[in-house]
Amino acid sequence: MSGFVAFLDQAGGPADQTWLCAATGYLVFRGPDAQAVWHQGPVGLGNALLRTTVESAGERQPFSLDGQTWITADARLDSRSLLLDALRSAGREVTSSEPDVVLILHAYALWGENCLDRLHGDFAFVL
């Protein structure tokens, strides 16, 4: 099981990078395969990744498709073929080897919060 943290300075100041790195580092026991942080303005995300599937071999988090919307997650998607078909039918270019976090971000880009109606599995994520 991976671990992740999210930081938001509600006063609008910059994300506390020291806290973000320390909190992510604390989760190394959850995700020994990779640790990374991302921050911009008042927002910061950290991820300690445990690779558990073939698709997660090339996974990196926090992740963004467009540099605007970022995700960090602990996710296992079931019914991937149904989700892939729906994404492709809507014009998204996705392969069956995409990590789950990439599929979640594509689903969110298409359907917004309603993407949750199309995701099946065991997951927690922050956008």
Side-chain angles (χ1 to χ4, degrees), residues 96-120:
S96 59
S97 63
E98 301 283 8
D100 291 341
V101 70
V102 174
L103 298 180
I104 293 169
L105 204 48
H106 275 285
Y108 180 76
L110 274 174
W111 302 300
E113 291 179 14
N114 292 330
C115 73
L116 295 173
D117 297 334
R118 297 175 180 260
L119 302 178
H120 303 281

Side-chain angles (χ1 to χ4, degrees), residues 58-123:
E59 186 173 347
R60 56 188 165 80
Q61 292 190 50
F63 179 77
S64 178
L65 293 170
D66 60 6
Q68 297 295 313
T69 303
W70 288 80
I71 187 172
T72 187
D74 180 23
R76 186 206 73 242
L77 293 180
D78 300 331
S79 304
R80 286 175 53 92
S81 60
L82 293 174
L83 180 59
L84 284 164
D85 289 345
L87 291 170
R88 290 173 182 148
S89 293
R92 302 304 280 199
E93 293 184 23
V94 291
T95 67
S96 59
S97 63
E98 301 283 8
D100 291 341
V101 70
V102 174
L103 298 180
I104 293 169
L105 204 48
H106 275 285
Y108 180 76
L110 274 174
W111 302 300
E113 291 179 14
N114 292 330
C115 73
L116 295 173
D117 297 334
R118 297 175 180 260
L119 302 178
H120 303 281
D122 184 16
F123 54 84

